[in-house]
């Protein structure tokens, strides 16, 4: 398996795009090569579960086109969550960045980054990262608050964050290719928000509740409630209890 590396010649930086994920998908289909697509402005940024991603000025919007054959699709969220969390953590010596399952990044229980992973074709995948650096949406909804890197660290630039993100994304992709999911699972759980604690996950219109006890081999989250174990593959873990 070849080492995954995003060389400078696969970078595209465009002032305005509807969504960097769409452009990365288009480039993958054209070239069958890895790519990195950054935009200063997104006019139609999207998030997980059909949500809108507000693309505010001064934040990082970047998508990576990658060729990878995961043993389970949910492993991709673990790789990306680790990369996003470590990139944010690098600029926060006095605060802890955490991964909220499956792959939001939180600081002090506020969302600072989100990741949208989409299948392109064959073994090609698009990983889109939105990292709040200068701005964050206020009163986005009742369920959680947001924050931005420069609340904690002054004058961090998009380029600096992108450099750390590329470094960490390459690192975790290559650990996965060489050593598999097990070492990543361990690192993920070390950084996981509310690991070992009671959580609520909204799965479609249903609420699932229990203690966040483990991740399965195929990347599902296991919730324990008394003697009952249930696993969830996709949903939204709530920050505030409902
Ligand atoms: C989420 O938290 O729901 C995921 C948000 C992902 C946002 C990023 S910004 C760059 C890329 N382009 C998009 O349209 N979405 C992702």
């Amino acid at each position: 398996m070849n080492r995954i590396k995003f060389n400078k010649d696969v970078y595209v930086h465009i002032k305005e795009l509807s969504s960097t994920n769409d452009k990365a998908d288009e480039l993958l289909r054209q070239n069958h090569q890895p790519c990195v697509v950054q935009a200063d402005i997104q006019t139609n940024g999207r998030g997980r579960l059909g949500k809108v991603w507000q693309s505010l000025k001064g934040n990082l919007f970047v998508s990576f086109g990658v060729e990878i054959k995961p043993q389970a699709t949910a492993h991709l969220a673990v790789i990306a969550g680790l990369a996003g969390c470590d990139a944010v953590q690098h600029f926060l010596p006095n605060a802890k960045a955490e991964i909220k399952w499956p792959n939001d990044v939180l600081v002090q229980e506020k969302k600072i980054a989100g990741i949208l992973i989409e299948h392109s074709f064959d073994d090609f995948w698009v990983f889109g990262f939105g990292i709040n650096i200068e701005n964050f949406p206020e009163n986005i909804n009742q369920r959680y608050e947001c924050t931005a890197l420069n609340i904690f660290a002054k004058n961090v630039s998009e380029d600096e964050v992108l450099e750390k993100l590329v470094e960490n994304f390459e690192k975790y992709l290559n650990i996965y290719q060489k050593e598999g999911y097990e070492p990543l699972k361990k690192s993920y759980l070390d950084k996981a928000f509310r690991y070992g604690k009671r959580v609520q996950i909204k799965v479609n219109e249903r609420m699932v509740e229990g203690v966040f006890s483990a991740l399965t081999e195929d990347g599902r989250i296991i919730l324990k409630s008394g003697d009952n174990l249930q696993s969830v593959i996709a949903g939204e873990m709530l920050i505030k209890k409902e």
Side-chain angles (χ1 to χ4, degrees), residues 98-139:
E98 295 179 292
I99 311 169
K100 180 170 79 74
W101 180 87
N103 56 16
D104 284 349
V105 182
L106 306 183
V107 177
Q108 295 179 350
E109 304 209 342
K110 294 178 182 168
K111 182 157 168 169
I112 200 163
I115 302 166
L116 176 66
I117 303 170
E118 294 178 314
H119 183 237
S120 178
F121 69 100
D122 296 345
D123 294 332
F124 289 91
W125 294 82
V126 174
F127 293 74
F129 292 78
I131 302 185
N132 298 338
I133 302 176
E134 279 182 25
N135 289 298
F136 59 90
E138 307 214 31
N139 305 322

Side-chain angles (χ1 to χ4, degrees), residues 34-176:
C35 61
V36 182
V37 179
Q38 184 185 0
D40 297 331
I41 302 164
Q42 284 190 127
T43 52
N44 201 11
R46 59 180 180 269
R48 288 178 65 240
L49 309 171
K51 297 196 184 101
V52 169
W53 183 256
Q54 285 188 37
S55 304
L56 304 176
K57 197 172 168 299
N59 294 343
L60 180 67
F61 316 112
V62 63
S63 298
F64 297 82
V66 182
E67 185 176 9
I68 187 164
K69 218 186 197 111
Q71 287 117 37
T73 307
H75 292 174
L76 299 177
V78 169
I79 298 170
L82 281 165
C85 185
D86 284 10
V88 166
Q89 184 69 74
H90 177 82
F91 299 98
L92 304 178
N94 301 316
K96 187 167 187 248
E98 295 179 292
I99 311 169
K100 180 170 79 74
W101 180 87
N103 56 16
D104 284 349
V105 182
L106 306 183
V107 177
Q108 295 179 350
E109 304 209 342
K110 294 178 182 168
K111 182 157 168 169
I112 200 163
I115 302 166
L116 176 66
I117 303 170
E118 294 178 314
H119 183 237
S120 178
F121 69 100
D122 296 345
D123 294 332
F124 289 91
W125 294 82
V126 174
F127 293 74
F129 292 78
I131 302 185
N132 298 338
I133 302 176
E134 279 182 25
N135 289 298
F136 59 90
E138 307 214 31
N139 305 322
I140 189 167
N141 58 45
Q142 309 271 311
R143 298 192 313 283
Y144 61 86
E145 290 169 55
C146 298
T147 191
L149 264 180
N150 280 341
I151 297 286
F152 304 91
K154 288 287 163 253
N155 301 324
V156 176
S157 71
E158 285 134 273
D159 285 354
E160 287 171 297
V161 180
L162 179 58
E163 191 183 322
K164 277 294 146 198
L165 181 61
V166 170
E167 184 183 310
N168 283 294
F169 193 38
E170 283 175 347
K171 173 177 128 186
Y172 287 114
L173 284 166
N174 288 305
I175 293 177
Y176 182 67

